[in-house]
Amino acid sequence: SLRLLATIAASAGSAIHTAQLHAETQRRASEMSTLAEIGNDIAATRELEPVLEKIAAHAKDILRVRDIVITLRESDSNTFRTSVALGEYTEEMKALIITPNKGIMGNVIESGVAEYVNDPTHDPRVVHVPGTPLEDDEKEYLMGAPLISRGQTIGGIMVWRENPDSLFAQPDLDFLVSVARQTAIAIESARLYLETQR
């Protein structure tokens, strides 16, 4: 009977592993189709704002996040303003002005390196988003990626989840980085289109 239990346990373990692989494959497939869809949106882009909103909506769904923000550099300055905000705190996020090295997003913009922070209460860089409940800071996880075009950081994407949602992990970050690349391409092609029109 011990051998039977061992066999059952082994096959259950194998079934769980197969299910996890299947879930991972499904996730990868939906990520790939999302990125392809974003690519199509970019190809058809003339107006930047609607494309950025579509990108944010796609990424928000796939990453299952509470809030997503795309910030862009103000022309000829070192400040970054929210261009698109979707989620629970859109008004508060739209009022955000980000400066390099201030807050997690400011750090991501300054370093040019994407990262996630699952324990922000112990991260000295965290800055409270004005207008959002202070108690939310205790249970938030956040992740950000820079938007890089022609070797310059032109903005960033930031997303928030909160407890009891799952913590951010490397696959989430990889996907966000892919979305950030696509976003930078969208911005670049919209700007090129505008220059050509002029």
Side-chain angles (χ1 to χ4, degrees):
S1 71
L2 199 56
R3 189 176 293 154
L4 177 65
L5 277 177
T7 310
I8 291 168
S11 64
S14 166
I16 289 167
H17 184 62
T18 306
Q20 284 170 335
L21 282 177
H22 180 67
E24 185 60 28
T25 309
Q26 290 289 85
R27 188 189 135 122
R28 284 262 167 254
S30 59
E31 284 181 4
M32 294 316 289
S33 73
T34 295
L35 291 172
E37 225 169 295
I38 290 172
N40 292 338
D41 292 342
I42 291 168
T45 183
R46 297 291 170 266
E47 291 283 311
L48 187 56
E49 207 72 11
V51 174
L52 291 185
E53 280 184 11
K54 268 189 182 173
I55 289 174
H58 284 314
K60 185 176 183 294
D61 284 350
I62 290 276
L63 286 167
R64 297 187 308 280
V65 290
R66 186 199 70 205
D67 281 281
I68 182 166
V69 161
I70 298 177
T71 62
L72 297 178
R73 184 190 288 275
E74 296 270 81
S75 54
D76 308 327
S77 86
N78 214 18
T79 56
F80 295 77
R81 269 185 194 277
T82 300
S83 177
V84 171
L86 298 178
E88 210 170 301
Y89 298 121
T90 42
E91 292 314 307
E92 294 81 355
M93 298 299 183
K94 281 201 167 149
L96 268 185
I97 295 173
I98 290 160
T99 51
N101 275 333
K102 189 166 189 285
I104 303 279
M105 193 71 224
N107 268 268
V108 165
I109 281 169
E110 184 63 28
S111 68
V113 179
E115 67 171 301
Y116 57 85
V117 178
N118 284 327
D119 188 12
T121 43
H122 294 102
D123 194 312
R125 300 168 302 166
V126 168
V127 176
H128 176 72
V129 176
T132 63
L134 268 169
E135 59 271 17
D136 277 13
D137 292 7
E138 306 278 313
K139 54 182 184 179
E140 284 179 336
Y141 322 128
L142 43 124
M143 178 167 69
L147 302 177
I148 297 168
S149 176
R150 302 181 196 180
Q152 298 290 312
T153 301
I154 57 167
I157 298 187
M158 190 91 176
V159 293
W160 286 260
R161 275 182 191 159
E162 58 180 40
N163 207 354
D165 293 340
S166 56
L167 297 169
F168 287 119
Q170 194 59 43
D172 297 318
L173 193 64
D174 295 342
F175 178 67
L176 190 68
V177 167
S178 300
V179 169
R181 278 198 202 106
Q182 295 273 50
T183 306
I185 292 167
I187 293 163
E188 187 64 26
S189 50
R191 284 178 180 169
L192 281 173
Y193 177 76
L194 283 174
E195 281 167 26
T196 318
Q197 288 301 91
R198 284 200 199 105

